Amino acid sequence: MTTTLAIRGVTKQFGHGATSVEAVRGVGLSVESGEVLLIMGPSGSGKSTLLSIMGALLRPTAGTVTLNGVAISQLPERDLPPVRLREFGFVFQDFNLLAALSALENVALVAELAGTARAEALRRAGELLTELGLAERVAFLPDQLSGGEKQRVAIARALINDPSVILADEPTANLDSSNGHEIMRTLRAVAKERGRSVVIVSHDQRIRDIADRVVWLEDGQLRDLMTMAVDPVCGMSVEHDRAVTLEQGGELRFFCSRGCRAEFLGELDGPAETRPARTGPLASLFQAVRPKTP
Amino acid sequence: MTAARLALRSLARHPVRLAASVAGIALALTLTLALDAIYTGVANGLTAYIDHTGADVWVSQAGVRNLHMVASWLPDTVVDQVRAVPGVTDATPILYSTDTVAAGDDRGVAYVIGLPPGAPVGGPWSVVDGTGQPTAGGVVVDAAFARRAGVSVGGQATVMGRSARIVGLTEGTGSLVNSVAFVPFADFRAARGGAPVVSFVLVRVAPGAAPEAVASAIEAKVPGVTAMTGSAFSAGERRLVMDMSADVIAIMDGIGFIVALVVVALTLYIAVHGSRHELAVLKAIGARNRVLYATVLAQSAVSVAAGVAVAVGITAALAVVVPRTGVALEPALTLASVARTAAVGGAVALIAGVLPIRDVAHVDPLTAFRRGGAPA
């Protein structure tokens, strides 16, 4: 794995003098390709500010942001739109789809903005949406989609220009449990099968399950780095302290749930066969990652 | 293309807002377009007589270059002098005055033409009842005027202070401001004291002869006259009328421009303000400001183009409907008028589109992360 995005000594100060606020203070962090990084922390801890700095939407007051070896924090504003367009994919809590465009057009638009011909953009958008299980919904307006479907469209939009990094801001906050899990699995598949770095800002404890690494941000500073392990059954990351464990042959294994451990031991019949067949690069997402039994 | 498509989709997403905007623009532009059409119609009415006399050249008192609000008097010996000019086929003298014609309870201003018997040119061109050649003690009046006055052929009218029997009704001889009435040349001369004068000499030129050349020859050979081709004489008349109305039209154009500008600017401001979150999202995902500017300008252009189209449609409909209501007015929609309105609309679209650019430029992409912006 190679480092995709690195920030060094990043500080962001808003305002001046006595009323100034330091939202982020001397944060250093790097994300590898294929890694899912979860940034957690209480409200007002600077998570979204940090995400905005990482995505070149906000310039740090001090420190550097390096993307694939290029210090993007030093680039002039006029050079940043293409960086945002081609190197980052944004997934928002509120989905932020353009209400006047269909799902297909919402996704294709980003490719068109990057200079792709309309026909090609639509073709690629159609492929992505099909891979994400939305083949039947491409012509629907956002208002006609469920929350989970909207977020999958948003993920397709984030992926269409094949960016290095996906930045997701509370991607499951507006979703029910089932859709939240599906989005989490999708984001993990994006990282693992496409080799993209995925950075997620969230309060949602469930996202810990899919993260390779969790960092805790409080008062603008990183506090603690949690140790994670990969569940050998579902592929999700689990904290050592919270995992269900199994010692076998002198080796300690970590599982996200007793169900996964049972399945590992061959005691559980997986229900995955009942899911509809999917095709495309993300197909394994819907086959290998099975719903877990709590 | 991306910007245009975004603009169209965004407009279509808010049909009520679009309809209100288009209606406002259309109303403002209809104001100027309809007024222009009315003045053009009036000018057409005022030049109708000149345009239909059949004369190739008009000969008038030196310096007289139109009919409206002028007097032209030439000694009647001029007629033979004009006839003698090479290229002249025939020369018909007419007497002319602006006077009132009264019948029943109605009275109106009229171009009164004193017409010689059997005149080959200068007479009415569309007779709907009776004769077009007024006989002694008779008058030919405009049919619309007669209808309003409640008289017909055989009825009485007062013209040039004398009572005359209506012997014919014509059409196409009335406008909002006046009509054309024809009386015998001798009656006209008698009413004016019998002086041996004529107002104009209407000339037809020989086949193959150029009216301009004949007009120049007349001015060279006949002293004290101005000779103009029929088209030049008509243009002079039209120019005079339009010049008289130019200030009014300019004022109305200005008002229409300002109203349209305010409507479009306000609509766009509301649209931009209402879509700040979407613009922020576009910026966050990497759209350059120029894409957003183009989107706003395209919205402005589409609204104004639709407004211009509706305004043209309304005015064209008025041009058809108004004459059928019995009003002596035929609004005329011209290409020049449409082009001017479209140009005004273009300026409105451009200015209204540029106004919110500062707002667009300052949209903060970070607002895309704020909750409750525009969830879709």
Side-chain angles (χ1 to χ4, degrees):
Chain A
M1 290 208 296
T2 56
T3 299
T4 308
L5 185 68
I7 60 176
R8 297 280 176 266
V10 163
T11 295
K12 182 64 189 178
Q13 179 179 319
F14 293 105
H16 300 282
T19 58
S20 70
V21 174
E22 270 194 339
V24 175
R25 291 189 282 174
V27 171
L29 200 59
S30 63
V31 195
E32 311 292 326
S33 58
E35 182 185 21
V36 179
L37 172 68
L38 172 62
I39 302 173
M40 301 192 80
S43 294
S45 60
K47 299 189 301 294
S48 291
T49 301
L50 185 59
L51 194 74
S52 302
I53 291 171
M54 294 172 96
L57 289 169
L58 197 59
R59 203 177 287 279
T61 310
T64 57
V65 180
T66 308
L67 176 71
N68 295 324
V70 177
I72 58 172
S73 54
Q74 312 303 320
L75 293 176
E77 178 58 36
R78 66 174 179 278
D79 291 343
L80 291 178
V83 173
R84 293 175 197 141
L85 196 53
R86 293 185 176 86
E87 300 297 338
F88 293 105
F90 291 94
V91 179
F92 305 94
Q93 174 183 341
D94 289 336
F95 322 123
N96 282 338
L97 301 177
L98 301 182
L101 302 184
S102 69
L104 186 69
E105 289 167 327
N106 260 289
V107 178
L109 172 69
V110 184
E112 286 183 76
L113 289 173
T116 306
R118 179 161 169 78
E120 172 63 11
L122 289 172
R123 188 190 64 74
R124 276 166 43 191
E127 281 181 4
L128 263 176
L129 289 169
T130 301
E131 286 173 28
L132 290 168
L134 293 168
E136 307 299 320
R137 316 288 276 176
V138 291
F140 284 47
L141 291 172
D143 284 350
Q144 299 166 310
L145 300 173
S146 70
E149 288 170 335
K150 285 180 196 174
Q151 200 59 299
R152 276 188 277 158
V153 173
I155 291 171
R157 180 176 66 178
L159 288 173
I160 188 134
N161 285 335
D162 203 16
S164 303
V165 183
I166 304 294
L167 300 171
D169 183 35
E170 301 280 10
T172 57
N174 282 332
L175 303 178
D176 60 25
S177 174
S178 166
N179 278 311
H181 275 294
E182 182 136 356
I183 292 304
M184 291 187 318
R185 285 197 297 269
T186 303
L187 287 171
R188 182 166 181 84
V190 166
K192 301 305 170 190
E193 296 178 14
R194 289 174 175 258
R196 302 296 161 221
S197 304
V198 176
V199 180
I200 303 171
V201 159
S202 182
H203 285 98
D204 190 345
Q205 296 287 339
R206 298 171 302 175
I207 296 183
R208 288 175 174 220
D209 294 346
I210 64 147
D212 295 312
R213 195 152 50 101
V214 180
V215 295
W216 183 261
L217 193 72
E218 195 169 329
D219 296 331
Q221 292 179 301
L222 294 182
R223 293 292 187 199
D224 187 22
L225 220 59
M226 297 172 193
T227 310
M228 309 294 286
V230 177
D231 184 324
V233 174
C234 68
M236 288 191 174
S237 295
V238 289
E239 292 169 38
H240 284 194
D241 294 348
R242 300 174 67 213
V244 176
T245 57
L246 170 68
E247 190 171 353
Q248 196 179 46
E251 188 181 350
L252 189 61
R253 296 184 186 277
F254 299 88
F255 300 91
C256 67
S257 65
R258 283 194 296 275
C260 275
R261 184 176 63 180
E263 189 171 344
F264 183 79
L265 293 170
E267 295 173 7
L268 188 71
D269 292 331
E273 293 73 17
T274 60
R275 300 182 68 80
R278 316 267 182 155
T279 57
L282 298 179
S284 60
L285 162 73
F286 300 100
Q287 291 154 7
V289 181
R290 299 177 180 184
K292 294 179 296 179
T293 306
Chain B
M1 272 314 287
T2 305
R5 195 165 46 252
L6 269 177
L8 285 173
R9 292 300 184 82
S10 183
L11 287 171
R13 175 91 182 147
H14 304 284
V16 174
R17 190 160 72 191
L18 176 63
S21 170
V22 170
I25 296 162
L27 200 63
L29 296 182
T30 299
L31 197 69
T32 64
L33 207 51
L35 195 73
D36 210 14
I38 289 169
Y39 273 109
T40 304
V42 169
N44 286 346
L46 288 174
T47 60
Y49 176 67
I50 301 171
D51 294 337
H52 290 91
T53 54
D56 297 317
V57 176
W58 281 65
V59 181
S60 57
Q61 181 182 329
V64 173
R65 297 182 180 278
N66 61 281
L67 274 182
H68 191 63
M69 295 172 68
V70 300
S72 170
W73 299 113
L74 296 165
D76 61 4
T77 53
V78 162
V79 180
D80 288 334
Q81 289 176 280
V82 170
R83 278 197 189 108
V85 174
V88 173
T89 298
D90 57 62
T92 304
I94 61 166
L95 287 162
Y96 157 80
S97 176
T98 301
D99 209 307
T100 56
V101 177
D105 294 330
D106 204 61
R107 62 190 288 126
V109 177
Y111 286 173
V112 181
I113 306 294
L115 198 63
V121 295
W125 57 95
S126 178
V127 179
V128 292
D129 197 7
T131 176
Q133 287 290 330
T135 49
V139 62
V140 177
V141 297
D142 178 63
F145 167 77
R147 207 163 37 245
R148 285 197 305 276
V151 293
S152 57
V153 171
Q156 292 293 311
T158 303
V159 58
M160 301 180 80
R162 295 180 171 198
S163 182
R165 188 169 53 84
I166 297 171
V167 296
L169 299 177
T170 58
E171 66 177 6
T173 45
S175 76
L176 192 63
V177 291
N178 74 351
S179 65
V180 185
F182 300 87
V183 298
F185 189 90
D187 288 2
F188 193 119
R189 178 172 278 183
R192 287 286 183 261
V197 293
V198 301
S199 299
F200 298 94
V201 181
L202 306 184
V203 172
R204 286 196 299 185
V205 303
E212 293 84 359
V214 173
S216 297
I218 291 171
E219 285 193 343
K221 291 184 183 302
V222 182
V225 303
T226 290
M228 300 171 71
T229 62
S231 57
F233 197 71
S234 177
E237 179 85 347
R238 180 177 294 274
R239 197 159 43 244
L240 176 78
V241 175
M242 295 312 282
D243 283 352
M244 289 166 63
S245 58
D247 286 347
V248 178
I249 290 178
I251 290 169
M252 296 311 289
D253 273 352
I255 292 171
F257 178 82
I258 290 167
V259 172
L261 185 59
V262 168
V263 168
V264 183
L266 193 63
T267 308
L268 273 184
Y269 176 78
I270 292 168
V272 167
H273 191 75
S275 55
R276 282 182 74 87
H277 192 81
E278 289 196 342
L279 294 174
V281 171
L282 282 169
K283 272 193 175 183
I285 61 179
R288 288 185 181 276
N289 273 342
R290 63 169 179 259
V291 173
L292 308 187
Y293 299 156
T295 305
V296 173
L297 275 173
Q299 284 189 16
S300 175
V302 169
S303 303
V304 171
V308 170
V310 172
V312 169
I314 291 173
T315 310
L318 285 175
V320 172
V321 170
V322 168
R324 295 181 183 176
T325 62
V327 178
L329 174 67
E330 291 191 19
L333 188 59
T334 64
L335 271 179
S337 181
V338 171
R340 195 172 69 239
T341 304
V344 168
V348 166
L350 193 62
I351 295 171
V354 165
L355 288 176
I357 275 181
R358 188 181 156 80
D359 267 3
V360 172
H362 286 85
V363 167
D364 183 355
L366 283 180
T367 55
F369 288 96
R370 289 190 190 131
R371 317 294 177 234

